[in-house]
Amino acid sequence: MDDRILIAVQKLQTEQLVNAIVLGPEEPVRKRAKELSLNFDSVPVIEPQRSDHQETYVSSYYEQMKSKGITKDEARKQMQNPLYFAAMMVRNGDADGSVAGATNTTAETVRAALRCIGLREGCSIVSSFFLMALRNSTVGKDGSLLFADCAVVPVPDASQLADIAIATAANTKLLLETEPRVALLSFSTKGSARHPLVDKVVEAAKTAQVRNPQLKVDGELQADAALIQVIGTNKAPGSMVAGDANTLIFPDLQSGNIAYKLTERLAGAEAIGPILQGLKKPANDLSRGCKPEDIVNAAAVTAIQATL
């Protein structure tokens, strides 16, 4: 068991943020918690192989996946994996959400969530966002913005990009408690450059508007036009988003991932995420380089998502 998880669980319990459940071998987990001077007396520790839910989850997962060629023995083996067991807990209502990935890749975490929990109705894709808290309070909502997608979808097409925009907007409203203003970013603003990459962003913005007519969404916009009022007014006059965006949608994973890391490292922003979106129920991912406070933040956001 990773010490970072144990330390985070202690903080979650102490501050009464969530009722945490730890998956892992109970005796070693409790022994290590004691060695770290952590109080785990009230923390449930579940070992998937010994859980009373094991066979129920195996049967449910097998029924769901047998059409794809999985055998009962393979389903049983999968349910011994904490990633899959946790996702089935969420699917069956035995947990409100899950947080994983401190020792797993994003691909592994997303795969387990997709297979066990599935996509939310109306969503065609699982994507992710980061909640970025900047020192500069003049941008976004008092310095907070959502960046998407920075972790999951390498090269979304226009339709997928529209779905990412709509899903991220919903999380902006939930987490920032403000009206989403969604900017689909590009290296062009309102036709200042012509290229198929720009065309994709323009199509995505139009598609998002058709799918959600009430949404304030615009694109293509350059980052400065999206965030800085005077530049937005100059480059995109009449836009309801330019200069006042609180939700930034990047055209591909490369740009999104680079942008959030630069913002975190050079601007001193706090990056909370990646938080997954598009699933029926919340299941979230962690960077393998995460700190205990990152796990605490992810768990808190997961709890908020569970209220949707």
Side-chain angles (χ1 to χ4, degrees), residues 11 49 81 92 117 147 149 186 221 231 274 287:
K11 187 175 180 65
Q49 296 91 327
N81 182 333
N92 285 274
I117 298 172
F147 284 18
D149 176 9
S186 178
L221 294 172
I231 298 175
S287 165

Side-chain angles (χ1 to χ4, degrees), residues 51-263:
S51 170
D52 293 340
H53 295 299
Q54 173 70 210
E55 285 306 310
T56 300
Y57 291 172
V58 168
S59 297
S60 177
Y61 184 69
Y62 170 67
E63 288 300 318
Q64 181 178 329
M65 298 296 294
K66 66 181 181 181
S67 62
K68 300 184 184 298
I70 193 172
T71 67
K72 194 72 173 281
D73 285 342
E74 288 170 336
R76 184 170 288 105
K77 184 177 181 180
Q78 289 280 51
M79 282 307 113
Q80 293 174 5
N81 182 333
L83 281 178
Y84 284 80
F85 190 89
M88 288 301 289
M89 288 183 71
V90 176
R91 174 188 171 91
N92 285 274
D94 297 317
D96 295 313
S98 67
V99 176
T103 58
N104 300 99
T105 66
T106 293
E108 291 168 336
T109 304
V110 172
R111 189 180 302 115
L114 266 177
R115 289 179 177 177
C116 297
I117 298 172
L119 289 169
R120 181 186 292 271
E121 185 177 352
C123 288
S124 66
I125 194 169
V126 172
S127 60
S128 72
F129 68 88
F130 276 84
L131 171 56
M132 305 297 296
L134 287 83
R135 296 172 181 174
N136 181 1
S137 62
T138 64
V139 297
K141 170 66 183 304
D142 300 325
S144 294
L145 305 101
L146 267 64
F147 284 18
D149 176 9
C150 306
V152 178
V153 188
V155 187
D157 60 27
S159 179
Q160 291 170 332
L161 202 57
D163 270 2
I164 292 169
I166 292 168
T168 310
N171 279 299
T172 296
K173 185 174 183 179
L174 178 69
L175 297 173
L176 301 188
E177 297 182 327
T178 191
E179 183 178 22
R181 295 179 184 272
V182 185
L184 277 75
L185 301 181
S186 178
F187 58 85
S188 169
T189 296
K190 298 300 180 181
S192 64
R194 294 185 178 277
H195 193 277
L197 292 176
V198 176
D199 295 341
K200 181 184 82 168
V201 175
V202 172
E203 183 183 347
K206 291 178 180 177
T207 302
Q209 192 71 81
V210 169
R211 292 177 183 171
N212 189 340
Q214 305 305 314
L215 183 63
K216 291 185 177 179
V217 55
D218 201 3
E220 86 283 15
L221 294 172
Q222 291 164 288
D224 56 354
L227 295 171
I228 309 302
Q229 190 69 59
V230 65
I231 298 175
T233 301
N234 182 46
K235 289 188 173 184
S239 171
M240 293 188 295
V241 173
D244 198 26
N246 53 30
T247 308
L248 303 184
I249 308 301
F250 296 87
D252 57 33
L253 184 57
Q254 284 195 105
S255 56
N257 191 271
I258 291 167
Y260 104 78
K261 288 183 183 291
L262 285 176
T263 306

Side-chain angles (χ1 to χ4, degrees), residues 256-304:
N257 191 271
I258 291 167
Y260 104 78
K261 288 183 183 291
L262 285 176
T263 306
E264 181 182 31
R265 300 301 178 182
L266 298 183
E270 182 177 4
I272 301 172
I275 304 298
L276 299 182
Q277 55 187 6
L279 294 165
K280 288 180 182 176
K281 295 182 178 182
N284 282 315
D285 183 40
L286 296 164
S287 165
R288 281 173 288 175
C290 66
K291 303 181 291 295
E293 52 265 37
D294 297 325
I295 302 172
V296 170
N297 288 337
V301 171
T302 302
I304 296 171

Side-chain angles (χ1 to χ4, degrees), residues 3 5-11 30 32-41:
D3 288 355
I5 295 173
L6 303 182
I7 294 167
V9 167
Q10 174 76 85
K11 187 175 180 65
R30 295 197 184 279
R32 183 55 183 158
K34 188 174 182 179
E35 291 170 351
L36 294 171
S37 300
L38 304 175
N39 182 0
F40 263 46
D41 290 347

